[in-house]
Amino acid sequence: MIPPLLPTYNRADIAFDRGEGPYLFDEKNERYLDFGSGIAVSALGHAHPYLVAALREQAGKLWHTSNLYRVLGQERLAKRLIEASFADTVFFANSGAEAVECAIKMARRFHYASGAPERYRLITFEGAFHGRTLATIAAGGSAQCLEGFGPKVEGFDSVPFGDFDAVVRATGPETAGILVEPIQGEVGVHVPPPGFLKRLREFCDARGLLLVFDEVQTGIGRTGRLFAYEEAGLVPDIMAVGKGIGGGFPLGACLASERAAKGMIPGTHGSTYGGNPLAMAAGNAVLDIVLEAGFLDRVRMISGSMQQHLAMLAAEHRSVIAEIRGRGLLLGLRLHVPAASFIARLRESRFLGVGATENVVRLLPPLNIEERHVKEAMAALVAACASFETERKAV
Ligand code: PLP
């Protein structure tokens, strides 16, 4: 018999009842240290008093009006995102996939409006993840995500991540642009080779292509910069943002330069809920904190400390940990032991990490964790490593 919830997820048998900072509490009031942040979403931890107050205030005033009218929270959040980024304009959506959908449509529409409607294809990368809509599964290209869902949406040419020559070879007269995650998260935290993203920028400029960044996972401070493109020393033309921007409230955004957005005239795109007053209250409150002087410096500092601890851990437990990957607080441990079992053992120590392909455990803690949380995390990681080593010795 089909369960009441459509069985598309493999869920752990835990239900959380409340959260406080980087901690979650289950129904029995057991406390877990959450280094998954709901898959890189709860950027400021759980029940942050400032976010709670902002949402409470908005909830008592107005929830929803639709985009038939001006939404002042949207105007404020867009202005702030523009001031803090390369962008000149913003579209608000409700999720990462929706933000990427808008980015794909915008890239196609740019060429249409430029008199080249035949240029609709995007170069994408193996291992990419852009969401679960029909277009975003086609862009991601994963056979597992596409299987059984009929003809793949046309217009995506996938090449190996980091292979610039393959990008050049895949580019043709129908190519509209390149869609890329500055660090691939879901596939196991892939950082591209040095200079790769910059070469993509130069190539796009030379060939009249749009550079589209998917910063749904990397954006809003996750890598230690507000956006990962800053570290790469370039600016994209279009950028999808999601996850951390709402601090746990469903929110996505598609940012673009004026030039790239030129095809998106009234009637070309829309969303009933996108940018509703509640989501805007959450987004503005998140930015109030993330843009505070020193916030991102602290993210980089705590990341440095975590990476040091993890390097030591890997050196001491070589039979369990193969490699540490990532930037900022988007970190991955590639393991020699099955990642799913490792995550289950971490859970036994009341510690939450997130899986990724390539046998990787991702550590994506809230951005405002402190040194004591890093220490607590390390204790759980050491215990999990030790338990695998003990088992191996016993065999
Ligand atoms: N893009 C990237 C890089 C992601 O990591 C994700 C989600 O994991 C998405 C897009 C899709 O976001 P959502 O699940 O909010 O639709």
Side-chain angles (χ1 to χ4, degrees), residues 39 95-98 100 129-131 181 186 214 216-217 243:
I39 325 187
S95 66
E98 281 184 41
V100 178
F129 186 79
H130 298 295
E181 294 159 84
E186 296 299 306
D214 179 345
V216 169
Q217 191 154 154
K243 292 191 183 274

Side-chain angles (χ1 to χ4, degrees), residues 102-359:
C102 179
I104 295 168
K105 287 176 74 176
M106 190 184 286
R108 290 183 173 193
R109 188 84 190 174
F110 166 81
H111 291 286
Y112 172 85
S114 306
E118 74 284 0
R119 295 180 77 170
Y120 70 97
R121 307 190 70 84
L122 288 173
I123 310 249
T124 54
F125 293 93
E126 288 167 16
F129 186 79
H130 298 295
R132 293 288 199 154
T133 63
L134 284 170
T136 54
I137 57 175
S142 142
Q144 195 202 336
C145 292
L146 285 160
E147 186 183 11
F149 293 116
K152 183 177 155 190
V153 172
E154 248 279 282
F156 300 98
D157 300 308
S158 180
V159 302
F161 189 56
D163 186 343
F164 179 71
D165 293 337
V167 171
V168 176
R169 281 196 302 275
T171 302
E174 294 180 344
T175 305
I178 300 172
L179 169 60
V180 64
E181 294 159 84
I183 297 175
Q184 290 188 328
E186 296 299 306
V187 77
V189 192
H190 279 185
V191 178
F196 176 66
L197 298 171
K198 210 150 189 195
R199 288 183 88 185
L200 293 184
R201 174 72 275 175
E202 287 159 8
F203 183 64
C204 284
D205 290 342
R207 301 287 285 265
L209 307 174
L210 292 176
L211 183 60
V212 184
F213 266 33
D214 179 345
E215 291 231 25
V216 169
Q217 191 154 154
T218 53
I220 314 295
R222 179 60 49 198
T223 66
R225 306 274 166 201
L226 187 62
F227 298 110
Y229 74 75
E230 296 167 26
E231 190 81 45
L234 55 84
V235 294
D237 299 298
I238 302 174
M239 176 171 72
V241 178
K243 292 191 183 274
I245 191 174
F249 200 95
L251 173 58
C254 179
L255 283 66
S257 68
E258 181 170 8
R259 176 176 164 268
K262 76 175 186 183
M264 303 304 280
I265 56 174
T268 51
H269 197 50
S271 162
T272 299
Y273 290 120
N276 101 353
L278 281 175
M280 295 301 98
N284 274 307
V286 167
L287 276 200
D288 286 343
I289 293 175
V290 172
L291 294 180
E292 255 173 23
F295 183 90
L296 293 170
D297 296 330
R298 282 194 295 278
V299 174
R300 288 194 291 276
M301 244 156 64
I302 205 84
S303 157
S305 161
M306 246 184 90
Q307 293 196 50
Q308 254 177 20
H309 279 98
L310 290 174
M312 264 151 46
L313 181 83
E316 280 162 23
H317 301 278
R318 285 179 206 281
S319 66
V320 180
I321 300 176
E323 187 191 352
I324 309 289
R325 297 169 167 179
R327 291 279 184 279
L329 293 175
L330 170 49
L331 297 169
L333 276 59
R334 189 167 67 79
L335 302 175
H336 292 302
V337 298
S341 320
F342 194 82
I343 290 170
R345 296 225 184 147
L346 290 174
R347 259 201 318 269
E348 285 164 19
S349 311
R350 306 291 181 250
F351 178 84
L352 305 175
V354 180
T357 38
E358 295 191 353
N359 208 40

